[in-house]
Amino acid sequence: MATPSLDSARAADAAIEKAPDFLPEALPGRRPSLVGLTRDALKAQLVAMGVPERESRMRAGQIWHWVNFRGASDFAEMTNVGKALKAQLAEHFTLERPEVASRQVSRDGTRKWLLRMAPTNRQEHNRGAEIECVYIPGPDRGTLCVSSQVGCTLTCSFCHTGTQRLVRNLSAAEIVQQLVTARDELGDWPGQMPSRDAGGSGEVGRLVTNIVFMGMGEPLYNLDAVVDAVGVMSDQEGLGLSRRRITVSTSGVVPQIPRLGEQANAMLAISLHAVRDDLRNELVPLNRKYPIAELLAACRAYPGLSNARRITFEYVMLKGVNDSDADARELVRLLKGIPAKINLIPFNPWPGSRYECSDWDRIERFSEIVFNAGYASPVRTPRGRDILAACGQLKSETEKLRARARLMQEEGIGVESFYAGADD
């Protein structure tokens, strides 16, 4: 029987972090997809299928080009791969992407996709886990916000995603597949690339130019997969993004920050949101494990940190909570000596939240104090609010359906037919 002290410790940990519901496992009878694999993993799959070791590197390079550069969705498209090998590949593997279960387009052009992954566990009952992925177009870039977990490990009080359970980590391939799916949806492959301007009058070029790991999940609690995914996304013979255009955001998993810089060489963003430990303990409960001083020390030591590779500090503006002049001045003091940019984020309301967005004149005053101290302090324009695609609003349709079903059950309404018709 657990002692009261152990029970208290477990309760405290649960308030900071959630454990996954289950771990992925190979399901018998399912052909794996080759989309999103690292080069080494792709080669290993070919060798396991029977391709001789001496030619596996060359064959893997051919398939890599078709999948990651040309966006092939069928082995038949691979014109420089022999007919016999293509038949063998089709027998053992697929080029499947996640299913796009729903599509939403905001008034401002932001797109949100609900992606249903392939089943990875018997508990999923042949219905794969669901995540949300968001594309934000801009005049000189197109940013794809990807998820690293199904749900989230953490319990940040202002974040809609943090209110749901943690189902499981995504694999590196599943993270990469979000970019592949976005390029499919946008027609963003060679020979398809449209004008970057929605009206058709702008420069022709890649629509997805930047990746931010700011979707569902805490990336540094799934760092192995994130590092591998960044490697695949940045391979210049494939998906071809610059690592300087890939940003990984963390709420402050301090022990993993050095490894992110050393192995992924990605840009770093910190979800800070408060300048005092007592307040950050409430907003970002992970702060109880890794307080502000430890977090900022890790930032100062981040590999490759320079004026050309600044850390982005994200600061959500909460009315009457963290938006005073004193907060702005303390933020400047804390970040002294760190090459940094400070993104001020107007809070995006979601049903049930106890917070409000700061008034606009208060946000402008806060930004002015930070800017006058020498820091870039752009106010992030809220995007996709009308489709709940804005910062902190991602929450999968699966979770919303479960919540509605629980409400119906509590009110004495049968839920059997509700689930039966959920896919209609």
Side-chain angles (χ1 to χ4, degrees), residues 169-236:
N169 285 336
L170 293 174
S171 68
E174 289 173 321
I175 296 172
V176 174
Q177 286 169 11
Q178 295 171 64
L179 171 56
V180 173
T181 301
R183 285 194 168 163
D184 288 346
E185 290 284 300
L186 296 168
D188 197 23
W189 296 105
Q192 301 177 334
M193 292 183 286
S195 166
R196 288 179 178 169
D197 183 274
S201 59
E203 176 190 0
V204 172
R206 285 285 194 204
L207 295 183
V208 179
T209 63
N210 293 63
I211 300 289
V212 292
F213 283 77
M214 297 180 184
M216 298 167 66
E218 166 52 62
L220 297 200
Y221 276 126
N222 189 19
L223 187 54
D224 287 343
V226 168
V227 168
D228 284 347
V230 170
V232 176
M233 291 173 171
S234 62
D235 190 301
Q236 294 305 299

